[in-house]
Amino acid sequence: MSEELKPETPEIVDGEAETTEEEPIKQRKNGLYPGVSDELAENMKSGWADTELHGLEPIAQAQHTAARRAALSARFPGERLVIPAGNLKTRSNDTEYAFRASTEYAYLTGDQTQDGVLVLEPTESGHDATIYLLPRSNRENGEFWLDGQGELWVGRRHSLTEAEQILGLPAKDVRELPEALREATGRVRNVRGHDAGIEAALADKATAETDAELRVYLSEARVVKDEFEIGELQKAVDSTVRGFEDVVKILDKAEATSERYLEGTFFLRARVEGNDIGYGSICAAGPHATTLHWVRNDGDVRSGDLLLLDAGVETHTLYTADVTRTLPINGTFSPLQKKIYDAVYEAQEAGIAAVKPGAAYRDFHDASQRVLAEKLVEWGLVEGPVEKVLELGLQRRWTLHGTGHMLGLDVHDCAAARTEAYVNGTLEPGVCLTVEPGLYFQADDLSVPEEYRGIGVRIEDDILVTEDGNRNLSAALPRRSDEVEAWMAATKAK
């Protein structure tokens, strides 16, 4: 990364950069150039081609985001609604994490740019929606080449006119928004936790309670996916399937290195075909498979052990898959591994069968847990009867987690929804969820025979509720133990 000219990003006060014509943009403390001559500053103002883009087409989801905003308007009549994208977060010193727009903002606009804010202003007939964005870098004051977020440092932004064409929304300069919000009257709701400057401007207008109601509504609005969202989830899953194939092909290389070879291999697919990974990939080999969210991925990959790979590609529109397969690293399950794997497969089959319109959300979890409890009793690991085991939750020592969750823009989507609309709700067409039972025998668990210890198995698929049942979006990845072995052999031979 070049650093000789790169200045510190100007300080932001109340959402506005302190840079003006009279106050030069701050330079890096230890930069090699002490300043900018008047001659150079003048030179940099001219000689640039007009790069404004014309005739741009709206993004694919524009009609869907408009419908979502209309539903939001109807839910909160007469109230000003503020939904920020969020700001860059510092990783270390003057480097930032890659920006990811807030889910609520992306859902309502389709935009993914930092510092953006959607505002719905109340009118007599509903709301007027405006998107507030950073305009293109200023060439008159040198921002475009001196500011740490200037065009020559991080790339061109869309102009406000371009943004209007792409998003189907009026666009204004976001630097003017904090002052407008401070002067605003009437009831205001804001999605908190993303933009401290916006929250400060609304400090005497919004309350935590009313803001939480807005977030809950936006969570519940995403429970049922529209046509566009279902298509994006299928894209995410399809790329994820190819990522799993990539990993199987290089298992021998991972054995010579570590789990991080697996992680890097899947990440390449995610970055080439999508925006990113949807969450930290779990590449858990051997006893690491018993740690539910093993993302350190620094362990050995050994022949004879199992690999629990839990990973998902995030599309360019930020929808993510979430798939898990537990694979024998040498291509063949041992008898005990197969017994445990087949038990989890049977539990998953029962869970998937319970996913259908009109069913209680909890049904798939209960169905999967019953099968696992039966197996644990059958194997003599816990004393029956099964009904007692389930009543007391004794199976949880080895099953640990819930059997699934909703999926969408977030890997654990709709998390702020009311309990009665989520886990105590009823399934309907358009709901997308994971079904992911597992059995985990910790390496230090003295309550099970020694040969069980260190074995972890999870099988996870992304299931869409349809009009007449369900569709497994990730069905292209084999699940049955014999099919897994055959698939691995064929994939390695390619």
Side-chain angles (χ1 to χ4, degrees):
M1 173 183 284
S2 172
E3 64 86 24
E4 289 190 354
L5 275 174
K6 186 180 177 185
E8 296 176 358
T9 301
E11 294 181 7
I12 304 295
V13 177
D14 293 333
E16 283 196 41
E18 287 191 308
T19 303
T20 65
E21 292 289 349
E22 292 74 30
E23 184 177 348
I25 294 171
K26 293 180 181 180
Q27 301 296 295
R28 182 188 295 276
K29 180 178 181 181
N30 287 306
L32 296 180
Y33 288 97
V36 177
S37 68
D38 292 341
E39 291 77 7
L40 176 58
E42 192 62 32
N43 177 276
M44 290 296 288
K45 292 180 182 180
S46 60
W48 304 99
D50 180 6
T51 60
E52 183 74 9
L53 304 176
H54 303 279
L56 298 176
E57 293 294 325
I59 55 175
Q61 66 266 47
Q63 62 179 324
H64 297 284
T65 55
R68 296 166 194 167
R69 293 192 298 271
L72 174 62
S73 172
R75 172 62 180 80
F76 297 103
E79 301 183 42
R80 182 175 286 101
L81 308 174
V82 183
I83 302 93
N87 316 124
L88 284 174
K89 291 182 172 58
T90 299
R91 180 181 185 274
S92 175
N93 190 26
D94 60 351
T95 61
E96 294 88 17
Y97 289 103
F99 179 72
R100 204 277 196 184
S102 75
T103 290
E104 297 85 359
Y105 177 86
Y107 177 73
L108 292 168
T109 68
D111 183 54
Q112 297 180 35
T113 55
Q114 67 204 51
D115 303 323
V117 184
L118 173 68
V119 178
L120 272 64
E121 295 283 349
T123 66
E124 290 185 2
S125 57
H127 287 84
D128 287 335
T130 302
I131 193 164
Y132 288 81
L133 303 166
L134 285 171
R136 289 193 62 189
S137 303
N138 190 322
R139 291 183 181 265
E140 285 300 309
N141 71 355
E143 176 195 356
F144 78 110
W145 71 289
L146 290 173
D147 188 317
Q149 292 299 313
E151 205 165 280
L152 297 194
W153 286 101
V154 299
R156 183 187 188 278
R157 294 191 289 266
H158 280 300
S159 70
L160 297 181
T161 301
E162 292 168 354
E164 289 181 342
Q165 297 174 63
I166 293 168
L167 303 174
L169 278 166
K172 293 184 180 180
D173 190 335
V174 71
R175 294 172 294 188
E176 300 170 358
L177 181 58
E179 184 59 31
L181 291 177
R182 278 191 289 268
E183 295 176 355
T185 58
R187 194 169 188 178
V188 182
R189 295 180 191 258
N190 172 48
V191 177
R192 297 192 178 201
H194 300 302
D195 193 318
I198 294 299
E199 289 180 29
L202 296 173
D204 61 342
K205 297 177 174 64
T207 69
E209 182 179 4
T210 56
D211 286 355
E213 290 172 356
L214 173 59
R215 188 172 198 139
V216 167
Y217 168 80
L218 289 172
S219 238
E220 295 182 8
R222 302 198 308 276
V223 166
V224 175
K225 269 56 181 178
D226 60 36
E227 177 185 354
F228 175 83
E229 293 180 292
I230 292 169
E232 289 301 297
L233 284 167
Q234 187 64 70
K235 286 181 189 176
V237 169
D238 291 346
S239 289
T240 299
V241 169
R242 289 187 283 273
F244 274 63
E245 292 172 347
D246 295 339
V247 168
V248 169
K249 289 177 182 178
I250 55 83
L251 278 174
D252 58 334
K253 294 183 174 64
E255 286 187 59
T257 52
S258 77
E259 295 163 337
R260 293 201 173 175
Y261 204 99
L262 310 175
E263 178 183 3
T265 298
F266 186 85
F267 180 69
L268 177 62
R269 178 67 64 174
R271 286 293 280 168
V272 168
E273 295 193 0
N275 176 61
D276 206 332
I277 50 174
Y279 54 95
S281 298
I282 299 167
C283 305
H288 289 162
T290 66
T291 300
L292 300 186
H293 288 167
W294 177 262
V295 293
R296 299 179 200 172
N297 299 334
D298 58 359
D300 294 330
V301 179
R302 299 185 182 93
S303 179
D305 283 347
L306 296 177
L307 166 67
L308 192 157
L309 179 61
D310 184 336
V313 172
E314 178 186 77
T315 66
H316 294 292
T317 57
L318 306 185
Y319 288 85
T320 185
D322 182 6
V323 178
T324 305
R325 289 295 183 269
T326 304
L327 310 171
I329 292 168
N330 63 11
T332 304
F333 291 101
S334 73
L336 179 59
Q337 290 170 349
K338 184 177 186 302
K339 182 176 85 165
I340 296 170
Y341 184 95
D342 288 349
V344 174
Y345 171 76
E346 187 178 330
Q348 195 200 27
E349 282 283 274
I352 292 174
V355 175
K356 54 190 174 184
Y361 177 86
R362 291 179 177 272
D363 285 354
F364 76 94
H365 169 72
D366 293 341
S368 291
Q369 290 292 301
R370 173 170 291 277
V371 171
L372 295 178
E374 289 171 350
K375 296 297 181 181
L376 292 167
V377 170
E378 177 187 324
W379 299 340
L381 302 183
V382 63
E383 184 179 350
V386 170
E387 293 297 341
K388 178 182 178 183
V389 171
L390 291 169
E391 180 185 353
L392 299 177
L394 301 180
Q395 83 284 0
R396 293 182 61 186
R397 180 182 179 106
W398 303 283
T399 66
L400 293 174
H401 55 80
T403 310
H405 52 80
M406 292 193 184
L407 186 68
L409 280 168
D410 287 329
V411 66
H412 297 145
D413 206 27
C414 313
R418 293 167 300 160
T419 301
E420 56 266 34
Y422 194 152
V423 295
N424 289 340
T426 301
L427 296 179
E428 56 183 300
V431 171
C432 189
L433 51 84
T434 67
V435 179
E436 50 175 311
L439 282 173
Y440 312 92
F441 300 104
Q442 305 300 321
D444 59 350
D445 187 350
L446 302 182
S447 73
V448 300
E450 185 175 358
E451 61 267 25
Y452 283 74
R453 299 172 197 166
I455 295 178
V457 173
R458 179 164 66 251
I459 311 172
E460 176 181 21
D461 285 86
D462 300 342
I463 310 298
L464 173 70
V465 183
T466 61
E467 294 289 345
D468 57 356
N470 68 66
R471 173 158 58 97
N472 185 346
L473 301 180
S474 44
L477 271 183
R479 292 185 295 123
R480 210 173 64 201
S481 56
D482 60 336
E483 292 176 344
V484 168
E485 291 176 339
W487 167 72
M488 290 183 69
T491 302
K492 288 179 180 180
K494 288 181 181 179

